[in-house]
Amino acid sequence: MKISIQNLNKVYDNGKHALCDVNLEIESGMFGLLGPNGAGKSTLMRILVTLMKPTSGNVLIDGLDISKNRKEIRDILGYLPQDFRFFTKLKTWEFLDYAARLSGIKNKKERLQKVDMWLEKVGLFDARERNADKLSGGMKRRLGIAQALIGDPKLLVVDEPTTGLDPEERIRFRNILSDISRHDAIIILSTHIVGDISSICQSMTLLDDGFLSFSGSPEELIEKSRGHVWQINTSGTDYDILKNTYPVISTIPTDDGWDVQFVADSISNSKAIQIEPTLEHAYVYFMEYMSNKN
Ligand code: ADP
């Protein structure tokens, strides 16, 4: 399974150039699309799932051309949009059964087995008799992932998977996503939350104001920030100066001030020590100092 994106552009009617010459190859596995709000992630996702046409450029999904083979692509696709909603009064299991029917599973026994299997996998078996629209936000998101996967899609697209979830549900949802990672399928996670990517994606790309500014593994992105992440214990006006000079990643109170972590190309303050970068540090460093836009 492979997606090949060539010279992709999207210009909206109002003149907004939301995707600028995007070139990208995506192979099987869990793939992260990271970028701030407004970067163009949803635009790219909507083009991939054939809900929107690009202004120019080509996309091949498993050899199928999105401009010519929309029906065939939809047959191998699962999609969980950010604003996934239930329009029905169906029970949780009935909703999944409906999704399974839509995905073409005609045999009732096979369908019900699959429904039970997915209810178990996403931790909703005990809630199967509850009305789907009465589930909590996190449970709805889990039901959403089950409906997107019940037809065994070769490509699954998940838009902003953990936005609005509390920390416990966020971890649970990430665990479900990493469990369902399969060798023969591509799963694309589009997110502005770095933690969604760092825990589960083998490869990733950074989108910044319509431009693709990095593609590689999370480890490769982290390497780019090595030597540029610092920590210093500071207080009072020194802290204000630091905050106004460098992007600050975290501030932890101590007995005599704050331990402040920040990124910088180079610094003159000899009291600061270099620390081991995380993906969050790397993301901020890259967007601030290395992205194409700069
Ligand atoms: P993201 O998903 O990364 O937040 P989007 O793809 O939603 O980004 O948006 C990219 C840019 O395109 C933003 O500047 C947004 O305001 C603009 N945009 C999105 N949809 C439309 C539209 N239908 N018409 C005009 N501009 C749009």
Side-chain angles (χ1 to χ4, degrees):
M1 180 64 180
K2 187 171 160 186
I3 299 176
S4 179
I5 300 174
Q6 290 150 358
N7 303 108
L8 196 70
N9 283 277
K10 177 69 190 182
V11 184
Y12 283 110
D13 290 345
N14 64 359
K16 173 70 197 173
H17 208 146
L19 293 175
C20 308
D21 262 327
V22 169
N23 288 287
L24 185 61
E25 303 265 306
I26 305 175
E27 310 263 351
S28 298
M30 193 75 76
F31 183 85
L33 174 62
L34 182 63
N37 284 328
K41 302 182 299 295
S42 296
T43 303
L44 181 56
M45 295 301 94
R46 290 170 65 79
I47 291 173
L48 289 182
V49 301
T50 73
L51 289 176
M52 187 191 272
K53 290 186 176 163
T55 308
S56 64
N58 297 317
V59 180
L60 293 177
I61 299 178
D62 214 14
L64 300 166
D65 186 330
I66 53 155
S67 61
K68 299 187 191 122
N69 309 108
R70 296 163 84 83
K71 157 102 184 49
E72 292 87 338
I73 289 174
R74 285 179 184 181
D75 286 346
I76 59 166
L77 188 79
Y79 181 39
L80 178 57
Q82 193 182 353
D83 58 352
F84 180 66
R85 296 206 190 101
F86 303 91
F87 299 106
T88 62
K89 293 254 177 269
L90 294 181
K91 289 178 180 169
T92 298
W93 77 265
E94 288 172 331
F95 179 80
L96 266 191
D97 185 50
Y98 174 69
R101 250 185 296 161
L102 282 186
S103 78
I105 308 170
K106 295 202 174 71
N107 182 298
K108 190 170 177 191
K109 194 167 161 225
E110 182 195 345
R111 225 170 44 227
L112 292 180
Q113 271 173 357
K114 279 214 154 191
V115 166
D116 280 357
M117 180 188 89
W118 277 105
L119 285 169
E120 284 285 0
K121 271 197 189 183
V122 299
L124 288 176
F125 194 78
D126 291 343
R128 63 191 180 283
E129 294 294 337
R130 273 167 70 181
N131 272 357
D133 58 359
K134 294 272 167 17
L135 298 175
S136 71
M139 290 165 117
K140 280 185 182 158
R141 203 70 63 88
R142 284 188 264 139
L143 182 55
I145 199 78
Q147 66 80 34
L149 281 163
I150 202 157
D152 288 326
K154 288 170 89 176
L155 168 61
L156 172 70
V157 174
V158 187
D159 205 352
E160 296 287 355
T162 67
T163 306
L165 296 186
D166 62 41
E168 201 180 316
E169 270 292 354
R170 184 169 281 178
I171 290 165
R172 187 164 192 177
F173 196 84
R174 284 176 188 158
N175 287 340
I176 290 172
L177 285 177
S178 60
D179 279 353
I180 51 148
S181 175
R182 300 195 318 246
H183 293 304
D184 56 336
I186 293 179
I187 300 174
I188 302 180
L189 298 185
S190 160
T191 183
H192 69 282
I193 298 171
V194 180
D196 286 346
I197 305 267
S198 50
S199 43
I200 39 185
C201 293
Q202 298 93 354
S203 52
M204 61 174 290
T205 199
L206 270 185
L207 204 56
D208 186 9
D209 204 14
F211 290 91
L212 205 145
S213 56
F214 169 85
S215 283
S217 66
E219 293 74 27
E220 282 166 333
L221 186 63
I222 289 172
E223 275 313 306
K224 287 188 183 293
S225 69
R226 189 172 294 283
H228 302 289
V229 186
W230 309 83
Q231 179 166 315
I232 191 166
N233 189 265
T234 184
S235 60
T237 50
D238 282 353
Y239 173 61
D240 291 332
I241 294 169
L242 188 78
K243 210 171 48 168
N244 292 328
T245 313
Y246 304 109
V248 167
I249 314 269
S250 67
T251 306
I252 300 161
T254 60
D255 289 344
D256 51 354
W258 297 278
D259 272 341
V260 182
Q261 292 186 358
F262 62 99
V263 293
D265 241 355
S266 58
I267 55 163
S268 50
N269 190 325
S270 59
K271 281 198 316 191
I273 50 163
Q274 271 184 26
I275 57 169
E276 188 67 18
T278 65
L279 190 61
E280 191 177 14
H281 296 133
Y283 173 58
V284 176
Y285 175 73
F286 194 90
M287 295 303 272
E288 200 68 31
Y289 295 101
M290 294 184 76
S291 196
N292 297 358
K293 246 186 12 169
N294 301 318

